[in-house]
Amino acid sequence: MSMKDRLVDQAKKLASSGRVVRVVSNDRVMRLATGVMDAKNRLRAAGERAAEAWDILLNGHALPNIDPALDDEAGVHGAAPARAASPRPAAGGAGLSTVEEAVSSSKAPPPSARAHVNGVGANGAGANGAGTYVAAAAEQQLATQMASRTSLARIGGRDVFEKAYKFMTADNARAMGVYPFFRPLDFNNGPEAQLEGRTVTMLGSNNYLGLTTHPKVREAAKNAIDKYGTSMTGSRLVNGSMRLHNELEEKLAAYHGKEAGLVFTTGYQVNIATISALLSNKRSVAMIDKDDHASIYDGVRLAQAAGARMVRYKHSDPAALDSALSEIADTEGALVITDGVFSAQGEIASLPGIVEVVKKHKARLLVDDAHALGVIGPGGRGTAAHFGLGKEVDLIGGTFSKSLASIGGWLVGERKVLDYIQHFAYSFLFAASAAPPCVAAAMAALEVMQEEPWRQEKLRENFTYMRTELQRLGFELGKTETAVIPIYIRDDLKTVMMWKSLLDDYALYVNPFITPGVPPKQQVLRTSYMATHERKHLDHALEAFEKVGKKFGVI
């Protein structure tokens, strides 16, 4: 190993040391770490790479915008307007921030700028070099960048590939060993998985009832392949519909107490198709919770192309929804859309208040129950059933890819409404139909879910135990009431370093959510639980969380 490589390796270890991170406050972590990496006359080459790495973790504009709910340009009804300064455009009009300029040019900014971002006077301490400036500026500008939506996606020019060539964040993060996304598993058996030949405890899956490995579900998929083949090779409109699809639609409708059901190829497609088909003109309004899933936002974007409006209301706030609905014109019709269980927070929607407001204004209601099916409600029937409001919700949709242990999507409601959707939703009409083994597996999982109610009971026991114990240890968990338990870290760097320590040191697989996937100061380690987790898995996780939480000063 060359001297340079040894120095880089030493710099990595020092920057990730819990001893270093623990002795400083949350707001000073990044300045200290990057200051070490950029020490005068030492580790110059490593310092340059470190500056890029901190930018990966801190400068959210360079990461993919995976959460459209953060688009504050659209406004949120019932929320105080955000105040954020506009970032200075870079030369050439690319719209990049000062932080990006510092990283790309490897030059330190003027002393006045360094003093400003570090919060000290021109003669104060702590503003030495580009690395320190990048970290401090990135930390301070997170909120501004999110509000202004400065991102690589906005780079224009003759070559549409230009933004792709400038996107270095993932490559740099991989080089530093801190890239947490798109990691291929060798296999996943439910509560345990294998990653790069190593067994890990899985707390990052949505396999809530543990049915992906159930013998009946596996056998159903195998039999469907033997009987029908692997695909229908066509859309539902032409040759892609089967009696198997219709059978599952009837069972889903009966299960939810609705008139009809409709099976889709993916859960994402459910929202895109339903929203774009129903909100198809200038007199249509999509009224959505600010924290709704990305698939809902994409469905609304398609509707907006046809002239529909989007209005966002404050998260899970019926009063804000009431105010927003009061302002639409008499000639407009509104579809209110909410997650039943919010996928990042584990929080259940305030459905009783929402239903009351929807009825008051004669609007319609769509509930996305992707993370509720099998988890809450009698028999795992989801959010509406949880509140005894099954007949009051117009449309309920979801995915096969969680409790139903397959891939696909579903929607239940009135027959005429679903018939309209399947005739007017292009994303349904012209997409290949759900494959026979996927449909058969989902149908078998729906049957097992009803035949083995102990799974929902065991799931509740597991996530209640984890929520209680994590709170006892001192972790902040928000308002979770379900199998999704977010552990709030509220710091990009610390979130990623804790994720890495949990995986490397304790073989514990969790999901880090950092900006811009979440707003500034909302960074979490997202954990999710299964009916098939045993107490040994949970206790191992608690031991790891306690040690890593203390190591990084979170508890």
Side-chain angles (χ1 to χ4, degrees):
M1 180 184 292
S2 67
M3 176 65 72
K4 178 180 177 181
D5 290 337
R6 284 198 296 271
L7 291 175
V8 171
D9 186 59
Q10 291 172 7
K12 289 181 187 179
K13 291 179 179 178
L14 181 59
S16 62
S17 168
R19 186 173 300 171
V20 172
V21 177
R22 186 171 59 249
V23 297
V24 294
S25 66
N26 190 53
D27 292 335
R28 295 165 55 202
V29 168
M30 290 163 280
R31 277 202 298 276
L32 178 59
T34 51
V36 171
M37 294 291 287
D38 197 48
K40 186 177 180 180
N41 298 323
R42 297 174 56 211
L43 310 178
R44 183 172 180 179
E48 292 175 0
R49 294 181 65 192
E52 294 178 346
W54 303 145
D55 190 47
I56 291 164
L57 301 175
L58 308 175
N59 194 359
H61 67 267
L63 291 169
N65 290 314
I66 60 175
D67 185 0
L70 299 177
D71 190 352
D72 289 327
E73 293 177 357
V76 180
H77 212 95
R83 294 185 298 173
S86 299
R88 177 173 64 83
L96 303 182
S97 71
T98 307
V99 176
E100 286 177 293
E101 294 175 28
V103 174
S104 62
S105 65
S106 298
K107 295 179 181 178
S112 59
R114 296 202 302 270
H116 171 71
V117 298
N118 282 284
V120 296
N123 296 321
N128 294 315
T132 303
Y133 167 70
V134 168
E139 182 179 8
Q140 181 167 322
Q141 289 187 0
L142 277 173
T144 301
Q145 289 160 3
M146 291 312 308
S148 63
R149 303 293 283 172
T150 302
S151 71
L152 284 175
R154 289 201 171 169
I155 293 178
R158 190 68 176 177
D159 186 359
V160 296
F161 284 6
E162 180 185 2
K163 61 179 71 70
Y165 300 137
K166 289 185 175 181
F167 176 59
M168 296 301 297
T169 54
D171 286 340
N172 291 339
R174 291 184 188 105
M176 293 296 292
V178 293
Y179 185 69
F181 308 118
F182 300 104
R183 302 199 51 165
L185 296 170
D186 302 327
F187 60 82
N188 184 4
N189 281 337
E192 293 182 352
Q194 189 174 90
L195 176 66
E196 299 172 354
R198 182 188 185 199
T199 299
V200 297
T201 300
M202 175 56 69
L203 296 190
S205 171
N206 298 317
N207 184 18
Y208 296 127
L209 298 179
L211 295 180
T212 57
T213 57
H214 194 285
K216 181 174 181 176
V217 176
R218 284 183 164 180
E219 189 66 22
K222 293 176 185 177
N223 291 340
I225 290 176
D226 291 341
K227 184 175 182 179
Y228 304 108
T230 58
S231 171
M232 294 305 295
T233 66
S235 71
R236 294 289 302 271
L237 177 67
V238 286
N239 68 299
S241 287
M242 304 178 55
R243 292 185 184 276
L244 195 65
H245 292 99
N246 297 143
E247 183 181 355
L248 179 54
E249 288 168 346
E250 291 170 0
K251 288 185 176 181
L252 284 165
Y255 175 69
H256 286 282
K258 294 294 186 183
E259 186 179 7
L262 192 59
V263 165
F264 294 75
T265 311
T266 70
Y268 207 98
Q269 184 193 31
V270 172
N271 286 328
I272 291 178
T274 302
I275 296 167
S276 62
L278 294 176
L279 305 179
S280 56
N281 55 61
K282 294 181 179 180
R283 294 184 299 278
S284 303
V285 180
M287 196 72 63
I288 65 176
D289 187 294
K290 179 186 180 297
D291 289 356
D292 274 347
H293 190 264
S295 60
I296 293 173
Y297 276 87
D298 274 354
V300 172
R301 287 193 183 98
L302 280 177
Q304 287 176 309
R309 289 197 299 121
M310 176 178 72
V311 177
R312 302 191 306 163
Y313 62 90
K314 187 177 178 182
H315 174 55
S316 204
D317 188 335
L321 174 61
D322 187 22
S323 176
L325 284 170
S326 298
E327 295 182 6
I328 69 171
D330 292 339
T331 57
E332 292 181 311
L335 177 65
V336 177
I337 312 160
T338 182
D339 288 5
V341 170
F342 290 88
S343 60
Q345 302 100 317
E347 181 183 353
I348 302 174
S350 302
L351 199 59
I354 291 171
V355 165
E356 181 180 353
V357 170
V358 167
K359 298 298 181 185
K360 171 184 174 182
H361 292 279
K362 296 181 172 57
R364 295 292 185 176
L365 177 60
L366 165 63
V367 174
D368 181 344
D369 255 359
H371 292 270
L373 184 73
V375 179
I376 62 173
R381 286 175 173 80
T383 312
H386 174 75
F387 291 109
L389 296 170
K391 295 182 179 179
E392 308 301 321
V393 176
D394 298 298
L395 294 169
I396 304 172
T399 178
F400 295 168
S401 64
K402 296 172 176 59
S403 290
L404 293 183
S406 184
I407 187 73
W410 56 274
L411 182 72
V412 295
E414 292 183 57
R415 185 192 69 81
K416 287 293 290 180
V417 177
L418 269 57
D419 193 38
Y420 178 89
I421 291 169
Q422 74 175 357
H423 283 90
F424 285 86
Y426 284 4
S427 55
F428 179 84
L429 283 169
F430 302 110
S433 65
C438 297
V439 176
M443 186 149 47
L446 182 65
E447 293 170 359
V448 172
M449 189 162 62
Q450 297 170 80
E451 294 166 356
E452 301 180 5
W454 66 264
R455 290 181 178 270
Q456 187 185 356
E457 296 167 6
K458 182 62 176 177
L459 174 63
R460 175 171 293 278
E461 176 187 319
N462 283 347
F463 71 68
T464 300
Y465 174 71
M466 288 301 293
R467 184 179 64 216
T468 300
E469 291 303 304
L470 286 168
Q471 287 174 333
R472 181 186 61 79
L473 289 173
F475 287 105
E476 181 186 358
L477 308 181
K479 298 179 180 179
T480 179
E481 304 171 74
T482 64
V484 174
I485 300 181
I487 300 174
Y488 283 85
I489 310 301
R490 303 193 183 281
D491 179 285
D492 277 330
L493 175 60
K494 191 174 288 188
T495 300
V496 172
M497 299 314 293
M498 287 182 67
W499 159 81
K500 181 175 174 58
S501 180
L502 288 166
L503 184 60
D504 291 351
D505 301 334
Y506 299 96
L508 186 64
Y509 191 109
V510 300
N511 294 313
F513 282 18
I514 60 175
T515 56
V518 294
K521 300 300 181 183
Q522 297 297 312
Q523 297 90 335
V524 301
L525 293 171
R526 181 189 184 272
T527 69
S528 50
Y529 300 91
M530 311 178 203
T532 47
H533 274 132
E534 298 176 19
R535 187 56 61 91
K536 67 178 181 180
H537 299 123
L538 305 183
D539 287 342
H540 166 67
L542 289 169
E543 179 184 2
F545 283 130
E546 181 176 15
K547 291 180 178 178
V548 174
K550 289 179 178 178
K551 173 182 176 181
F552 288 94
V554 174
I555 57 173

